[in-house]
Amino acid sequence: MSQKELNISLRSKTGKGISRQLQREGNLPGVVYGKGFESVAISLNQKEFAKIIASSSSPLITLKGESSLDGAVVMVADTRRDPLKGTILHADLHKINMNENVRVDVKIKFEGTAKGVKDGGLLDIIKHSIEVECLPTAIPESIPVDISELTIGLSIHAHEIQLPEGLKLIEDPNATIVNVLNKAMEEEVAAEAKAEAEVAADQTPAKE
């Protein structure tokens, strides 16, 4: 799997004031940490980072910069976002060992047209990715799942997915990945979703 490169700089100062200054300059505060590795505070370009995590199918990022972190491979462990604008405010990067297994969510690529859909059913995708464990070099861009034989009322579960060699299933084996609903099931799901939305709306505090 190909890796994206991210330019970083080390930073010696921390705190809200420094974070706001970096953000005004179009940068982000971040931290790199890992097993047996002392955490390092960094700064990175906000737009470059946002583009990488939005467009890349690989969870692996190679760091570039004039520091001991040059060439280090990391995964995005967490991001903090502005609750209103949705922009990224901080990034936590996990430095990984290329010789040790990692746990990642891999995108599922559904292939074919389900027989149940041809018969008037509705394809209901529950999960678009699946959690697996493998070496970083074995992470696939996606895992193919053939749904062409899926008929109305039937489902595909996590344990039924054929994983590429070197991958171990971490996802709940009984987790439903996709199924085909008939009209009655579709209406029932829609009714449940509506009821849940109404309950959530009732529990939302009124603005003063």
Side-chain angles (χ1 to χ4, degrees):
M1 173 176 280
S2 60
Q3 298 175 26
K4 295 290 185 178
E5 295 184 351
L6 176 65
N7 295 301
I8 65 163
S9 300
L10 299 184
R11 58 186 175 96
S12 57
K13 298 180 180 180
T14 58
K16 292 183 178 180
I18 296 299
S19 295
R20 286 194 291 266
Q21 179 182 335
L22 288 171
Q23 290 160 14
R24 286 195 298 268
E25 296 170 350
N27 296 315
L28 288 174
V31 63
V32 180
Y33 68 92
K35 181 180 178 181
F37 174 78
E38 187 173 351
S39 299
V40 178
I42 61 170
S43 65
L44 50 147
N45 183 272
Q46 186 180 47
K47 289 184 178 180
E48 181 184 9
F49 181 67
K51 182 178 180 181
I52 286 175
I53 63 175
S55 62
S56 177
S57 57
S58 170
L60 305 181
I61 301 174
T62 301
L63 301 182
K64 293 296 180 182
E66 296 180 358
S67 73
S68 59
L69 287 173
D70 184 60
V73 179
V74 301
M75 296 174 62
V76 179
D78 193 19
T79 58
R80 188 168 71 248
R81 294 177 179 267
D82 184 295
L84 297 178
K85 298 179 182 178
T87 54
I88 302 172
L89 301 177
H90 188 278
D92 289 349
L93 306 179
H94 183 202
K95 184 176 181 292
I96 63 173
N97 185 333
M98 297 298 285
N99 296 315
E100 293 183 357
N101 286 345
V102 294
R103 292 187 176 187
V104 293
D105 285 325
V106 179
K107 179 182 178 181
I108 296 174
K109 183 180 181 182
F110 296 101
E111 299 182 339
T113 301
K115 286 183 177 179
V117 172
K118 295 179 180 179
D119 293 334
L122 174 70
L123 187 68
D124 183 29
I125 298 176
I126 307 299
K127 299 185 69 66
H128 291 270
S129 63
I130 189 170
E131 187 179 14
V132 298
E133 181 179 272
C134 63
L135 288 173
T137 53
I139 301 174
E141 291 189 1
S142 62
I143 297 176
V145 174
D146 184 6
I147 60 173
S148 58
E149 296 300 315
L150 200 59
T151 57
I152 292 176
L154 294 186
S155 306
I156 294 177
H157 300 90
H159 69 86
E160 298 174 290
I161 295 178
Q162 183 67 42
L163 298 179
E165 185 177 355
L167 272 64
K168 175 184 176 181
L169 181 67
I170 300 300
E171 192 79 41
D172 177 2
N174 295 317
T176 301
I177 303 301
V178 60
N179 53 35
V180 178
L181 306 177
N182 60 27
K183 193 65 177 178
M185 292 177 180
E186 180 184 347
E187 292 174 350
E188 183 178 344
V189 169
E192 290 178 355
K194 182 180 179 181
E196 290 175 359
E198 290 175 348
V199 170
D202 292 339
Q203 294 176 345
T204 302
K207 294 183 179 180
E208 296 182 357

